[in-house]
Amino acid sequence: MTFVLQVADYRREENQGGRTMSMDDTGFDETRGRSALLWLYPVLITFALALIALQTLPLFVPIGPMNWDVLIYYDAIARIAQGQWPAIDFFAPVGPLEYFLAAFSNWLFPEAQPLFMTQWIWLPVTLPVMGLILWDVARGGRGKLAFWLLAPWMLFTLLPFNVIDFYPYPGTDAFGIYNRHGAHLIYLVAVSVLFVRGPVIQTVVLSVLVLSLAFCKITAFLAAGPILLFGLALGRIRIATAVTTALVCVCVTGIAELSTGLVVPYVQDIILLASQNTGALLPRFLTAASMHFNVFGAGGLLAIVLLIAAVSGNAAAAGREDRNPIARLIDADWFWVGLLLVCGLFYETQNTGSQAFLMVWPALLAILMRPKAGYGRFSAIIIVLIGFTAIPNVSTVVHKAARAMAVAPGYIKLDAPDLGPLGLFSVKDVFAEQAERMRGIYISHRDTYEAIAETEALPSFLLYSDPDYQYLLLEEMQAAASAIRTLELRTRRRFESVFSLDFANPFPYILKKKGTKYVAIGADPNRTLPELDEKTREAVARTDLVLLPTCPVQHARSVLLAHYSPALTGHERITLTPCYDALILPAAN
């Protein structure tokens, strides 16, 4: 870290304009605040306009590991356009607001690159929230502080990359998108607790963020919980603010349930997901800690050093002076660094490889904003450890983005006109060649892959991360879409509804047909596949066209076929393309 911003003495506590100045403030200066906002808001607005402009362009991006995650959004987009609602009409792996925002963004930008559009769907929420945060922070003469809160949010919002590599070749990260959204929301919660002091603005911001977290991803809501609880316990959130925020959230949730009936089914889906994802938590913590040891290890050491400095009587490392000694020791740098690290680690146990440790930055920034000399003999090691904690995730995301941009011009563009914007992906020539080779093998040696599927194994442990697999998947969706249209012309029959027995089912979007109600989108037999109840069985039984991909035959696809087979007894199975079978409901006489 190459900067240490000079600020006023944080040990001064005073009341000005109804705001309690604390160790986080640099002094309340309306003139300096207005001056800072004159350049901060143009930066924020320019950023928003740039993202809007990018969503109007037909940009091809390099395909990356588990690219099919983005297709789940388009399954939901098509269903919402048909009048279906998440949790009520279909089972979704994350919160309903995630898909409503995706549908809204698709309405605004129907031809946008799918990865960019889904990455930025939360801007209608997070952009105003960041604007309010900047107003509160900067108006107190803390313009530099406000900028360094804004900059990482813009960087991680802009770039659709995770901080863990799942494949050695460059490509974009179209998977775990909702995990990144949760990380961005938790970051804003941390900023609001540590730096926002205006009671009205803090109430508005926290109300919006708590509701957003609850209806975005429940694990993100749980990860933010300790930040809010300790913020309240340590006086960073006023009791009146907490009560008002709680009342707002309860009222909005109640109105949503009474007007739409959405909340209760959503809670039931959460309970069902939790029951299907039971497992020992300790191994998950160990896995997450090992994957992020570069950040978690350095941050943990930083928290220990800060604790030692606070216990040693170092004033800068201690908490606010108006507290009793115990409260002052807890509401201090070491505690907030440690708490945010633990919250980030917990989030990573459920959402491996997103951008979770972004939430630690506000606590690091609070330290950097104080005079370095205030930490005495601990200052050098503190600065070094802050660098080791903050830099790795930034450098990883920027590096991955730079690699993808550098290779993109030489990649082969997917030729899939029937897919619409879902065809805006490209791939390295060797992967396109590999996809064609493997396609032929999948077709001619189907029995081999059936034998592998029977062992409950994948042909390759990294199959879903292989760019050639993800590229072939889109190619075969294009072939299937073309074959379906040809079949409709030949039989003079229009299929009204469609369902695909695979993890991702974008065919309702691609074909502009109804999606089967009550089924799971993003269907993972191990995590997100509810029992086949009567209403789901009936809905599947009435589906005109059910697709089964076979390149290659996989255990998960076989499980999905077996799961829904009681509802498919009236369907006739045909070979639609060499890589897709179709189960067709006979036309009514």
Side-chain angles (χ1 to χ4, degrees):
M1 198 59 65
T2 60
F3 66 95
V4 178
L5 303 176
Q6 298 300 312
V7 295
D9 188 343
Y10 289 92
R11 291 169 292 177
R12 181 169 55 89
E13 295 280 346
E14 63 185 32
N15 292 319
Q16 297 186 19
R19 297 171 74 251
T20 301
M21 306 300 289
S22 69
M23 61 183 292
D24 307 317
D25 294 291
T26 63
F28 190 72
D29 188 333
E30 289 284 2
T31 302
R32 289 174 59 196
R34 286 193 294 270
S35 176
L37 290 172
L38 287 176
W39 62 269
L40 283 170
Y41 276 158
V43 169
L44 184 64
I45 294 169
T46 301
F47 175 73
L49 292 176
L51 299 193
I52 291 172
L54 287 173
Q55 292 181 84
T56 64
L57 303 175
L59 302 174
F60 283 80
V61 301
I63 206 165
M66 293 169 277
N67 190 77
W68 58 2
D69 261 28
V70 77
L71 305 182
I72 300 172
Y73 283 90
Y74 283 80
D75 188 1
I77 287 169
R79 292 171 180 275
I80 291 171
Q82 298 157 10
Q84 295 186 28
W85 281 50
I88 296 175
D89 298 307
F90 60 91
F91 183 88
V94 293
L97 193 51
E98 189 80 7
Y99 301 114
F100 284 125
L101 289 172
F104 176 67
S105 292
N106 183 72
W107 177 73
L108 290 175
F109 309 105
E111 301 301 322
Q113 211 295 324
L115 176 58
F116 291 154
M117 190 204 76
T118 51
Q119 171 76 8
W120 302 330
I121 59 175
W122 277 92
L123 278 177
V125 175
T126 57
L127 194 73
V129 166
M130 179 54 75
L132 289 173
I133 290 173
L134 293 179
W135 176 269
D136 184 88
V137 174
R139 70 180 182 139
R142 300 177 292 171
K144 290 181 179 179
L145 170 63
F147 173 76
W148 286 110
L149 293 172
L150 173 65
W153 174 80
M154 290 195 301
L155 177 69
F156 284 91
T157 296
L158 171 67
L159 299 178
F161 297 92
N162 299 319
V163 299
I164 295 295
D165 289 313
F166 285 87
Y167 206 80
Y169 278 81
T172 51
D173 288 340
F175 73 98
I177 299 168
Y178 41 77
N179 299 336
R180 298 198 289 267
H181 294 159
H184 301 161
L185 292 170
I186 299 172
Y187 171 77
L188 294 175
V189 168
V191 170
S192 302
V193 171
L194 292 179
F195 293 110
V196 173
R197 291 293 168 259
V200 174
I201 290 180
Q202 191 178 56
T203 300
V204 172
V205 166
L206 289 181
S207 297
V208 171
L209 291 175
V210 169
L211 285 167
S212 298
L213 285 164
F215 289 93
C216 166
K217 189 167 177 61
I218 197 62
T219 51
F221 177 81
L222 295 175
I227 304 171
L228 295 168
L229 290 175
F230 280 106
L232 176 62
L234 297 174
R236 291 180 177 270
I237 300 173
R238 293 169 176 82
I239 293 177
T241 297
V243 171
T244 305
T245 299
L247 289 174
V248 169
C249 292
V250 169
C251 289
V252 171
T253 303
I255 292 171
E257 172 60 22
L258 292 174
S259 59
T260 67
L262 174 68
V263 178
V264 170
Y266 174 47
V267 173
Q268 291 172 340
D269 283 356
I270 291 172
I271 295 171
L272 181 59
L273 278 171
S275 68
Q276 292 187 341
N277 289 272
T278 57
L281 195 58
L282 180 59
R284 294 185 181 183
F285 269 104
L286 294 176
T287 299
S290 65
M291 293 179 70
H292 297 276
F293 187 74
N294 55 344
V295 172
F296 189 75
L301 286 175
L302 173 63
I304 292 171
V305 170
L306 289 168
L307 175 59
I308 293 173
V311 172
S312 301
N314 188 286
R320 290 178 282 183
E321 287 188 345
D322 64 332
R323 298 304 189 81
N324 64 60
I326 296 178
R328 187 182 179 203
L329 180 63
I330 294 175
D331 188 15
D333 296 333
W334 71 270
F335 176 80
W336 287 106
V337 170
L339 176 67
L340 294 174
L341 282 170
V342 171
C343 290
L345 188 65
F346 168 77
Y347 190 54
E348 279 296 291
T349 64
Q350 310 297 316
N351 315 277
T352 304
S354 65
Q355 299 170 346
F357 289 102
L358 170 65
M359 72 178 74
V360 183
W361 173 245
L364 303 181
L365 184 60
I367 301 168
L368 290 170
M369 292 294 291
R370 300 196 194 92
K372 184 170 64 174
Y375 290 97
R377 67 181 187 275
F378 297 100
S379 60
I381 186 63
I382 286 174
I383 295 299
V384 169
L385 289 174
I386 287 176
F388 281 134
T389 305
I391 292 175
N393 284 351
V394 174
S395 63
T396 296
V397 169
V398 171
H399 179 220
K400 292 174 75 172
R403 288 187 72 197
M405 290 178 62
V407 302
Y411 272 28
I412 297 173
K413 296 178 181 179
L414 177 67
D415 182 17
D418 290 331
L419 300 189
L422 294 180
L424 294 174
F425 290 95
S426 61
V427 72
K428 189 176 175 64
D429 54 0
V430 295
F431 291 121
E433 295 168 4
Q434 177 72 355
E436 188 58 31
R437 287 193 206 99
M438 295 307 299
R439 180 181 182 274
I441 294 173
Y442 293 149
I443 294 169
S444 59
H445 297 278
R446 182 166 171 170
D447 56 340
T448 299
Y449 290 94
E450 288 175 344
I452 294 173
E454 288 176 0
T455 69
E456 302 184 8
L458 286 171
S460 163
F461 188 73
L462 292 178
L463 179 69
Y464 300 148
S465 295
D466 288 333
D468 60 280
Y469 174 81
Q470 297 294 335
Y471 183 75
L472 178 62
L473 184 69
L474 292 176
E475 278 194 320
E476 292 309 315
M477 286 180 176
Q478 162 64 32
S482 179
I484 290 167
R485 292 194 170 99
T486 300
L487 179 62
E488 287 181 320
L489 289 174
R490 189 176 74 246
T491 61
R492 297 182 179 180
R493 177 191 175 187
R494 173 177 168 77
F495 300 112
E496 297 296 331
S497 55
V498 63
F499 178 42
S500 180
L501 298 172
D502 203 4
F503 175 72
N505 172 34
F507 286 99
Y509 175 85
I510 295 169
L511 299 171
K512 305 296 187 289
K513 298 183 184 297
K514 295 178 182 178
T516 304
K517 294 181 71 173
Y518 309 125
V519 298
I521 66 171
D524 181 341
N526 297 316
R527 298 188 302 117
T528 57
L529 188 64
E531 292 295 326
L532 186 65
D533 57 22
E534 185 60 25
K535 67 177 182 179
T536 306
R537 190 196 67 77
E538 291 180 0
V540 174
R542 291 194 301 267
T543 302
D544 292 335
L545 180 66
V546 178
L547 301 174
L548 176 64
T550 59
C551 286
V553 174
Q554 296 174 25
H555 174 67
R557 290 169 174 172
S558 300
V559 171
L560 288 174
L561 176 60
H563 180 78
Y564 290 109
S565 60
L568 298 171
T569 55
H571 287 66
E572 178 187 353
R573 184 166 176 170
I574 67 168
T575 298
L576 180 67
T577 72
C579 286
Y580 267 94
D581 287 353
L583 293 94
I584 299 175
L585 184 67
N589 294 327

